[in-house]
PDB file of all heavy atoms in Angstrom:
ATOM      1  N   TYR Z  47      -8.820   7.297  -8.944  1.00 91.00           N
ATOM      2  CA  TYR Z  47      -7.447   7.006  -9.349  1.00 91.00           C
ATOM      3  C   TYR Z  47      -7.084   5.628  -8.833  1.00 91.00           C
ATOM      4  O   TYR Z  47      -7.373   5.313  -7.665  1.00 91.00           O
ATOM      5  CB  TYR Z  47      -6.499   8.059  -8.770  1.00 91.00           C
ATOM      6  CG  TYR Z  47      -5.264   8.281  -9.606  1.00 91.00           C
ATOM      7  CD1 TYR Z  47      -5.318   9.019 -10.784  1.00 91.00           C
ATOM      8  CD2 TYR Z  47      -4.037   7.746  -9.219  1.00 91.00           C
ATOM      9  CE1 TYR Z  47      -4.199   9.227 -11.552  1.00 91.00           C
ATOM     10  CE2 TYR Z  47      -2.911   7.948  -9.989  1.00 91.00           C
ATOM     11  CZ  TYR Z  47      -2.998   8.690 -11.154  1.00 91.00           C
ATOM     12  OH  TYR Z  47      -1.880   8.887 -11.922  1.00 91.00           O
ATOM     13  N   GLY Z  58       9.047  -3.068   1.096  1.00 93.00           N
ATOM     14  CA  GLY Z  58       7.773  -2.393   0.996  1.00 93.00           C
ATOM     15  C   GLY Z  58       7.248  -2.441  -0.429  1.00 93.00           C
ATOM     16  O   GLY Z  58       7.987  -2.741  -1.368  1.00 93.00           O
ATOM     17  N   PHE Z  61       5.593   1.213  -6.440  1.00 94.00           N
ATOM     18  CA  PHE Z  61       4.623   1.616  -7.442  1.00 94.00           C
ATOM     19  C   PHE Z  61       4.976   1.020  -8.801  1.00 94.00           C
ATOM     20  O   PHE Z  61       6.135   1.005  -9.213  1.00 94.00           O
ATOM     21  CB  PHE Z  61       4.586   3.143  -7.536  1.00 94.00           C
ATOM     22  CG  PHE Z  61       3.831   3.656  -8.714  1.00 94.00           C
ATOM     23  CD1 PHE Z  61       2.457   3.609  -8.738  1.00 94.00           C
ATOM     24  CD2 PHE Z  61       4.522   4.162  -9.808  1.00 94.00           C
ATOM     25  CE1 PHE Z  61       1.759   4.071  -9.842  1.00 94.00           C
ATOM     26  CE2 PHE Z  61       3.841   4.625 -10.915  1.00 94.00           C
ATOM     27  CZ  PHE Z  61       2.458   4.583 -10.933  1.00 94.00           C
ATOM     28  N   SER Z  64      -0.314   3.247 -12.933  1.00 94.00           N
ATOM     29  CA  SER Z  64      -1.565   3.815 -12.429  1.00 94.00           C
ATOM     30  C   SER Z  64      -2.476   4.172 -13.591  1.00 94.00           C
ATOM     31  O   SER Z  64      -2.062   4.179 -14.766  1.00 94.00           O
ATOM     32  CB  SER Z  64      -1.272   5.067 -11.595  1.00 94.00           C
ATOM     33  OG  SER Z  64      -0.664   6.069 -12.400  1.00 94.00           O
ATOM     34  N   ASN Z 113      -5.454  16.331  -1.680  1.00 63.00           N
ATOM     35  CA  ASN Z 113      -4.589  16.588  -0.536  1.00 63.00           C
ATOM     36  C   ASN Z 113      -4.544  15.414   0.433  1.00 63.00           C
ATOM     37  O   ASN Z 113      -4.597  15.583   1.647  1.00 63.00           O
ATOM     38  CB  ASN Z 113      -5.053  17.824   0.237  1.00 63.00           C
ATOM     39  CG  ASN Z 113      -4.160  19.005  -0.089  1.00 63.00           C
ATOM     40  OD1 ASN Z 113      -3.211  18.883  -0.850  1.00 63.00           O
ATOM     41  ND2 ASN Z 113      -4.456  20.128   0.511  1.00 63.00           N
ATOM     42  N   THR Z 114      -4.497  14.232  -0.105  1.00 71.00           N
ATOM     43  CA  THR Z 114      -4.325  13.070   0.756  1.00 71.00           C
ATOM     44  C   THR Z 114      -3.568  11.983   0.015  1.00 71.00           C
ATOM     45  O   THR Z 114      -3.681  11.850  -1.198  1.00 71.00           O
ATOM     46  CB  THR Z 114      -5.671  12.506   1.248  1.00 71.00           C
ATOM     47  OG1 THR Z 114      -5.402  11.374   2.098  1.00 71.00           O
ATOM     48  CG2 THR Z 114      -6.537  12.028   0.108  1.00 71.00           C
ATOM     49  N   ASP Z 115      -2.785  11.239   0.770  1.00 73.00           N
ATOM     50  CA  ASP Z 115      -2.103  10.084   0.209  1.00 73.00           C
ATOM     51  C   ASP Z 115      -2.832   8.792   0.564  1.00 73.00           C
ATOM     52  O   ASP Z 115      -2.342   7.715   0.278  1.00 73.00           O
ATOM     53  CB  ASP Z 115      -0.669   9.995   0.755  1.00 73.00           C
ATOM     54  CG  ASP Z 115       0.263  10.993   0.085  1.00 73.00           C
ATOM     55  OD1 ASP Z 115      -0.089  11.474  -1.007  1.00 73.00           O
ATOM     56  OD2 ASP Z 115       1.324  11.284   0.661  1.00 73.00           O
ATOM     57  N   LEU Z 117      -4.756   5.570   0.551  1.00 89.00           N
ATOM     58  CA  LEU Z 117      -5.121   4.594  -0.469  1.00 89.00           C
ATOM     59  C   LEU Z 117      -5.891   3.451   0.166  1.00 89.00           C
ATOM     60  O   LEU Z 117      -5.629   3.071   1.309  1.00 89.00           O
ATOM     61  CB  LEU Z 117      -3.871   4.043  -1.159  1.00 89.00           C
ATOM     62  CG  LEU Z 117      -3.074   5.011  -2.033  1.00 89.00           C
ATOM     63  CD1 LEU Z 117      -1.768   4.379  -2.461  1.00 89.00           C
ATOM     64  CD2 LEU Z 117      -3.888   5.425  -3.253  1.00 89.00           C
TER      65      LEU Z 117
ATOM     66  N   SER K  42       4.942  14.322   3.893  1.00 92.00           N
ATOM     67  CA  SER K  42       3.779  13.496   4.214  1.00 92.00           C
ATOM     68  C   SER K  42       4.220  12.087   4.591  1.00 92.00           C
ATOM     69  O   SER K  42       5.065  11.491   3.918  1.00 92.00           O
ATOM     70  CB  SER K  42       2.851  13.437   2.997  1.00 92.00           C
ATOM     71  OG  SER K  42       1.812  12.505   3.211  1.00 92.00           O
ATOM     72  N   TYR K  46       0.389   2.088   7.350  1.00 96.00           N
ATOM     73  CA  TYR K  46      -0.518   1.014   6.962  1.00 96.00           C
ATOM     74  C   TYR K  46      -0.196  -0.234   7.787  1.00 96.00           C
ATOM     75  O   TYR K  46       0.948  -0.472   8.166  1.00 96.00           O
ATOM     76  CB  TYR K  46      -0.356   0.655   5.477  1.00 96.00           C
ATOM     77  CG  TYR K  46      -0.867   1.712   4.526  1.00 96.00           C
ATOM     78  CD1 TYR K  46      -0.060   2.775   4.144  1.00 96.00           C
ATOM     79  CD2 TYR K  46      -2.151   1.627   4.005  1.00 96.00           C
ATOM     80  CE1 TYR K  46      -0.536   3.745   3.270  1.00 96.00           C
ATOM     81  CE2 TYR K  46      -2.629   2.583   3.126  1.00 96.00           C
ATOM     82  CZ  TYR K  46      -1.815   3.644   2.766  1.00 96.00           C
ATOM     83  OH  TYR K  46      -2.281   4.594   1.894  1.00 96.00           O
ATOM     84  N   GLU K  59      -2.398   9.373   8.433  1.00 92.00           N
ATOM     85  CA  GLU K  59      -1.532  10.149   7.547  1.00 92.00           C
ATOM     86  C   GLU K  59      -1.204  11.465   8.239  1.00 92.00           C
ATOM     87  O   GLU K  59      -2.089  12.109   8.813  1.00 92.00           O
ATOM     88  CB  GLU K  59      -2.251  10.418   6.231  1.00 92.00           C
ATOM     89  CG  GLU K  59      -1.521  11.343   5.281  1.00 92.00           C
ATOM     90  CD  GLU K  59      -2.391  11.769   4.112  1.00 92.00           C
ATOM     91  OE1 GLU K  59      -3.591  11.439   4.104  1.00 92.00           O
ATOM     92  OE2 GLU K  59      -1.875  12.442   3.219  1.00 92.00           O
ATOM     93  N   ARG K  66      -3.722  14.353   9.016  1.00 89.00           N
ATOM     94  CA  ARG K  66      -4.580  14.808   7.923  1.00 89.00           C
ATOM     95  C   ARG K  66      -5.699  13.816   7.641  1.00 89.00           C
ATOM     96  O   ARG K  66      -6.727  14.177   7.077  1.00 89.00           O
ATOM     97  CB  ARG K  66      -3.722  15.019   6.684  1.00 89.00           C
ATOM     98  CG  ARG K  66      -4.438  15.637   5.516  1.00 89.00           C
ATOM     99  CD  ARG K  66      -3.469  16.251   4.537  1.00 89.00           C
ATOM    100  NE  ARG K  66      -2.588  15.302   3.893  1.00 89.00           N
ATOM    101  CZ  ARG K  66      -1.716  15.625   2.942  1.00 89.00           C
ATOM    102  NH1 ARG K  66      -1.617  16.869   2.557  1.00 89.00           N
ATOM    103  NH2 ARG K  66      -0.934  14.711   2.402  1.00 89.00           N
ATOM    104  N   ASN K  67      -5.485  12.560   8.032  1.00 88.00           N
ATOM    105  CA  ASN K  67      -6.467  11.535   7.720  1.00 88.00           C
ATOM    106  C   ASN K  67      -6.294  10.390   8.697  1.00 88.00           C
ATOM    107  O   ASN K  67      -5.170  10.128   9.169  1.00 88.00           O
ATOM    108  CB  ASN K  67      -6.241  11.032   6.296  1.00 88.00           C
ATOM    109  CG  ASN K  67      -7.530  10.881   5.524  1.00 88.00           C
ATOM    110  OD1 ASN K  67      -8.575  10.534   6.076  1.00 88.00           O
ATOM    111  ND2 ASN K  67      -7.475  11.155   4.237  1.00 88.00           N
ATOM    112  N   SER K 105       5.802  10.928   1.039  1.00 90.00           N
ATOM    113  CA  SER K 105       5.761  11.642  -0.227  1.00 90.00           C
ATOM    114  C   SER K 105       6.017  13.117   0.040  1.00 90.00           C
ATOM    115  O   SER K 105       5.865  13.584   1.176  1.00 90.00           O
ATOM    116  CB  SER K 105       4.414  11.454  -0.924  1.00 90.00           C
ATOM    117  OG  SER K 105       3.402  12.171  -0.240  1.00 90.00           O
ATOM    118  N   GLU K 112       1.824   8.691  -7.130  1.00 77.00           N
ATOM    119  CA  GLU K 112       2.779   7.664  -7.557  1.00 77.00           C
ATOM    120  C   GLU K 112       4.140   7.862  -6.917  1.00 77.00           C
ATOM    121  O   GLU K 112       4.971   6.957  -6.884  1.00 77.00           O
ATOM    122  CB  GLU K 112       2.958   7.689  -9.081  1.00 77.00           C
ATOM    123  CG  GLU K 112       1.696   7.419  -9.860  1.00 77.00           C
ATOM    124  CD  GLU K 112       0.971   8.706 -10.207  1.00 77.00           C
ATOM    125  OE1 GLU K 112       1.139   9.709  -9.498  1.00 77.00           O
ATOM    126  OE2 GLU K 112       0.231   8.696 -11.191  1.00 77.00           O
TER     127      GLU K 112
END
Side-chain angles (χ1 to χ4, degrees):
Chain Z
Y47 208 76
F61 168 74
S64 63
N113 257 359
T114 181
D115 283 341
L117 292 171
Chain K
S42 172
Y46 290 85
E59 174 190 6
R66 187 160 64 176
N67 224 326
S105 72
E112 299 92 335

